[in-house]
């Protein structure tokens, strides 16, 4: 089953709107075992639409078209679809009644453009839209199915879930490919690749696939089943995942859609532990990540963001002599910050950061990206120095994720 | 000038990654006067790449290719590019030296896959990547320019801004449509539309365009010149901007690409003032926004993230009786938090937040999204209550932006 997606809309091409529909449809198809082999975004121009539909028909079994429908946009897309499918617009009385009922329910006058939304191609199967006035349309042409849907995400999603995906599943005997992902922290893509290279060769020989999906501080390793043997590869994927985890246990923090801040939160909750943070270079971002998780108030008490050295001394009790001698970006200071905030806010654990986020402030000894991170807990304070690179935003995010990762490691060692 | 974009990557097609690069590139091209007429996403399969490049060559003057590069991905895309452009991979010693220097600077061993990143097509112009190890590549074939860039967004953006867009601008006589944007805070899109409706009719009659670009807490109003008279509409756009600003002065905080945290930072810097924050529901996100700006250490001293009530009492000096009587989400508590942190960290101003971020914790009196925000300064403490809606992430961001907006307003009134 090969699918293609055509998105119609200038607002996507000029970058006013990010095409989130494409990712959502890609994920739904992938889970069902349909290969979305291509997505194309075009302008709402007759020739572009006709060319693209014909091109897609030659390549795909299913073509989803989103956008170009709606009261102010209907003029072009619907007549062009009629031209391509060799049909004409006719008034659909059932759809008209539904649109009239909608306008009555919201007590607004109905305009001619709204009436025109019930004009639909004679040859299509009309898919009812429960959240808007633009209907979905299902066409077939020379063994290819074409489905035209409105571009408004929640209308498109409801039509896909309630109409399109069930119809496709009924029609075809689909074999979804099985996927699992392992989430790693604290190691770069190429180092990971080197450690796991024998395992990778082995799973590829078994017909499985592997993708490296890096983002700042995190590399996701996705194992995919054999497309030719979708049903039989589930166990192979699970075995490969187990083997992979044994190769790199110290870097793994979760699976699939897990987030590090959620994994850490769950761990603290289970153990009945609390945490606080003392942040210099991360500037409150660790506290933000922790509190982005609903329910974090049960394990997070608070944070002292100590950007100024006087805050490090006065609130966190950092020794002024150490600040003077070693500088704010040092083992001595970051460990005192961690111990200080743990004591001040009376928590079981604390994370502290002090570093040079950049782009300015680096020296030869301590270049931009040098970050000290400490974790303080019932068994003492542990710290390390990291080189986080020279991009401020990434530097802050990588340092925060490393702080959470070190906390998780320490809690697991202690408990 | 007709451009097309080819994105290579299964992670995009199966919906694991949203293609934000496409929107960014579309916007850059649109601002330069280049029409992005089509974007195509394909899998990293040799035949798909070759077919797509040839198809794009027939249609476009410029083809941007993103993705398919990087230490673990190079195997396929680079040889396929060599095949299409009839060239071969050669070791680029300058790029190799740069990659070696990078690994030396971060004190990590260099692997063979990293060395291979310096293998580049002989016929291309190599575009240096300052943020990663995958170089950009510029090819030309039968009057079409092809540029291959890594898919990592910040690497792609830096290469576009520093190399690709300047080269394109030098080569072609582009007639960009003139755009200006006004940035507003604290008012919704439909309310704005109602206030400015007569002005909007007037500028549309003059041939100008207007787009409402909403994001959580902020609405950007973009005025665009007449495409048919790109050079002549500059003054019309500037006049329209001036008129618009006069209609809604209390909601405007900046222009074009300004960020509220940068605008506020600049203001504090100019006036020689300092700020701190006391954050409950925003959980450190205001501190994070402030410290995301390089140089913020000159006006930001720190923050007390007081998630637990005991931190509000013990660190910020909030009266336990007020906490008990009015609850943490109240005028009394948020004003004491603001005054408390201003006093504790000895700053000129302070922002405090206390609210119900959701999705749980709401009551009939104080539903999810209820947020109190206070600003404390030399002339006293001022606060307000806001309904920020029931999405936790949006709620935190909107509250933080409102806090910064209120601080800016107060500083401007005081000075």
């Amino acid at each position: 089953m090969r699918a293609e997606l055509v998105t119609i809309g200038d607002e996507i091409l000029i970058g006013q709107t990010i095409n989130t529909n494409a990712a959502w449809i890609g994920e739904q198809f992938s889970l069902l075992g349909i290969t979305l082999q291509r997505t194309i975004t075009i302008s709402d121009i007759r020739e572009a639409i006709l060319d693209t539909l014909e091109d897609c028909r030659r390549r795909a079994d299913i073509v989803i078209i989103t956008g170009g429908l709606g009261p102010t946009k209907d003029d072009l897309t619907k007549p062009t679809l009629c031209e391509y499918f060799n049909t004409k617009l006719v008034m659909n009385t059932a759809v008209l009644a539904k649109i009239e009922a909608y306008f009555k329910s919201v007590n607004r006058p109905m305009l001619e453009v709204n009436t025109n939304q019930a004009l639909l191609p004679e040859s299509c199967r009309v898919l009812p839209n429960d959240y808007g006035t633009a209907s979905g349309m299902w066409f077939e042409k020379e063994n290819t199915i074409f489905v035209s849907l409105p571009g408004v995400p929640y209308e498109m999603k409801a039509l896909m879930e309630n109409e399109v995906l069930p119809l496709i599943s009924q029609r075809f005997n689909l074999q979804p490919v099985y996927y699992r992902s392992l989430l790693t922290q604290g190691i770069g893509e190429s180092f990971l690749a080197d450690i796991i290279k024998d395992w990778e060769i082995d799973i590829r020989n078994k017909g499985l696939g592997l993708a490296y999906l890096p983002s700042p501080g995190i590399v996701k390793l996705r194992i995919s089943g054999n497309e030719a043997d979708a049903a039989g590869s589930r166990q192979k994927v699970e075995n490969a995942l187990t083997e992979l985890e044994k190769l790199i246990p110290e870097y793994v923090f979760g699976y699939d859609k897990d987030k590090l801040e959620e994994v850490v939160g769950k761990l603290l909750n289970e153990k009945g532990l609390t945490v606080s943070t003392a942040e210099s270079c991360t500037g409150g971002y660790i506290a933000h990540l922790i509190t982005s998780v609903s329910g974090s108030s049960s394990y997070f008490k608070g944070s002292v963001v100590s950007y100024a050295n006087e805050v490090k001394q006065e609130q966190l009790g950092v020794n002024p002599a150490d600040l003077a001698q070693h500088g704010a970006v040092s083992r001595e200071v970051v460990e005192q910050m961690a111990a200080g905030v743990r004591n001040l806010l009376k928590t079981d654990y604390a994370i502290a950061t002090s570093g040079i986020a950049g782009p300015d402030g680096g020296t030869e000894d301590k270049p931009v990206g040098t970050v000290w991170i400490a974790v303080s807990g019932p068994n003492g304070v542990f710290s390390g120095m990291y080189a986080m690179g020279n991009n401020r935003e990434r530097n802050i995010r990588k340092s925060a994720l490393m702080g959470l990762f070190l906390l998780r490691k320490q809690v697991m060692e202690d408990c």
Side-chain angles (χ1 to χ4, degrees), chain A:
Chain A
M1 284 292 296
R2 298 155 310 155
E4 303 212 341
L5 169 67
V6 179
T7 304
I8 302 175
D10 286 329
E11 72 281 11
I12 304 273
L13 288 169
I14 66 169
Q16 286 207 353
T17 304
I18 291 173
N19 191 355
T20 55
N21 284 350
W24 188 87
I25 291 170
E27 188 175 14
Q28 302 309 309
F29 275 177
S30 161
L31 293 172
L32 272 183
I34 300 169
T35 304
L36 184 65
Q37 63 185 8
R38 225 167 53 119
T39 74
I40 309 102
T41 303
I42 54 172
S43 190
D44 37 7
I45 294 173
R46 175 181 160 276
E47 293 71 23
I49 296 173
L50 293 175
D51 277 6
T52 304
L53 294 184
E54 186 56 15
D55 188 30
C56 292
R57 187 189 60 74
R58 286 196 222 100
R59 299 167 188 266
D61 306 303
I62 300 176
V63 180
I64 304 288
I65 306 155
T66 63
L69 306 179
T72 59
K73 292 177 176 170
D74 266 0
D75 292 355
L76 188 96
T77 307
K78 282 197 304 196
T80 307
L81 290 176
C82 285
E83 183 179 347
Y84 183 69
F85 294 107
N86 197 20
T87 184
K88 64 177 198 289
L89 291 174
V90 293
M91 184 58 71
N92 185 308
T93 50
V95 171
L96 183 64
K98 213 172 149 184
I99 296 174
E100 284 170 344
Y102 168 76
F103 277 90
K104 207 169 170 188
S105 78
V106 296
N107 201 20
R108 286 200 312 223
M110 191 160 149
L111 307 172
E112 195 188 340
V113 288
N114 304 120
T115 306
N116 289 347
Q117 295 213 267
L119 279 173
L120 292 164
E122 193 169 26
S123 73
C124 78
R125 171 176 181 158
V126 173
L127 308 176
N129 180 348
D130 291 335
Y131 298 97
T133 49
S135 300
M137 295 170 262
W138 174 293
F139 301 90
E140 306 199 14
K141 183 167 180 167
E142 296 176 42
N143 293 322
T144 297
I145 293 166
F146 290 80
V147 183
S148 166
L149 300 172
V152 180
Y154 70 93
E155 296 182 24
M156 180 281 291
K157 288 178 190 174
L159 275 160
M160 283 290 283
E161 285 173 344
N162 301 334
E163 303 286 335
V164 182
L165 297 176
L167 283 170
I168 292 173
S169 299
Q170 277 166 32
R171 177 84 75 98
F172 301 96
N173 180 24
L174 300 170
Q175 292 285 351
V177 172
Y178 189 71
Y179 291 99
R180 286 301 305 276
S181 296
L182 201 66
L183 306 174
T184 71
Q185 216 284 334
I187 181 167
E189 186 182 351
S190 48
F191 290 88
L192 261 181
D194 196 53
I195 296 176
I196 66 177
K197 59 178 184 285
D198 294 336
W199 169 87
E200 183 173 346
I201 292 166
D202 181 55
I203 68 154
R204 288 196 189 278
N205 286 340
K206 288 176 179 150
L208 304 182
L210 180 71
Y212 293 79
L213 305 170
S215 57
I218 287 173
V219 179
K220 185 169 176 170
L221 293 163
R222 193 185 63 218
I223 308 165
S224 54
N226 190 335
E227 290 185 29
D229 176 28
S233 52
R234 186 187 178 102
Q235 195 55 50
K236 282 189 196 168
V237 171
E238 288 294 340
N239 291 346
L241 185 82
T242 306
E243 288 164 22
L244 175 59
E245 193 168 358
K246 281 186 195 149
L247 288 175
I248 48 169
E250 67 272 40
Y251 302 114
V252 173
F253 72 84
Y255 309 90
D256 305 315
K257 289 188 179 282
D258 286 347
K259 287 184 172 179
L260 181 53
E261 55 272 28
E262 290 170 357
V263 170
V264 169
K266 210 178 150 197
L267 176 69
L268 293 171
N269 237 344
E270 280 168 11
K271 307 278 182 194
L273 297 168
T274 57
V275 69
S276 57
T277 70
E279 307 188 40
S280 188
C281 65
T282 50
Y285 189 66
I286 303 179
H288 166 61
L289 283 181
I290 293 174
T291 58
S292 71
V293 180
S294 169
S296 48
S297 57
S298 67
Y299 48 84
F300 179 68
K301 285 203 184 177
S303 174
V304 174
V305 179
S306 55
Y307 230 53
N309 280 347
E310 63 195 79
V311 179
K312 293 183 184 79
Q313 286 175 41
E314 291 171 22
Q315 307 310 318
L316 298 174
V318 172
N319 184 348
D322 285 324
L323 268 168
Q325 192 186 336
H326 305 288
V329 181
S330 64
R331 178 190 295 276
E332 289 76 7
V333 169
V334 80
E335 292 193 351
Q336 290 173 39
M337 286 170 64
V341 79
R342 178 172 176 264
N343 186 44
L344 187 74
L345 303 192
K346 304 182 190 75
T347 53
D348 299 304
Y349 285 86
I351 308 169
T353 60
S354 186
I356 301 153
D360 306 315
T363 63
E364 203 170 313
D365 276 3
K366 296 176 186 171
V368 167
T370 306
V371 179
W372 276 95
I373 305 177
V375 171
S376 171
N379 294 326
V381 189
F382 307 88
S383 65
M385 191 182 82
Y386 300 87
M388 296 299 190
N390 56 10
N391 176 293
R392 185 179 182 88
E393 189 188 333
R394 286 169 61 90
N395 191 317
I396 291 171
R397 181 158 168 88
K398 285 166 77 174
S399 301
L401 290 172
M402 183 57 87
L404 289 172
F405 189 71
L406 294 175
L407 168 66
R408 175 174 171 274
K409 207 172 149 186
Q410 197 56 48
V411 170
M412 291 197 306
E413 274 180 36
D414 291 347
C415 295

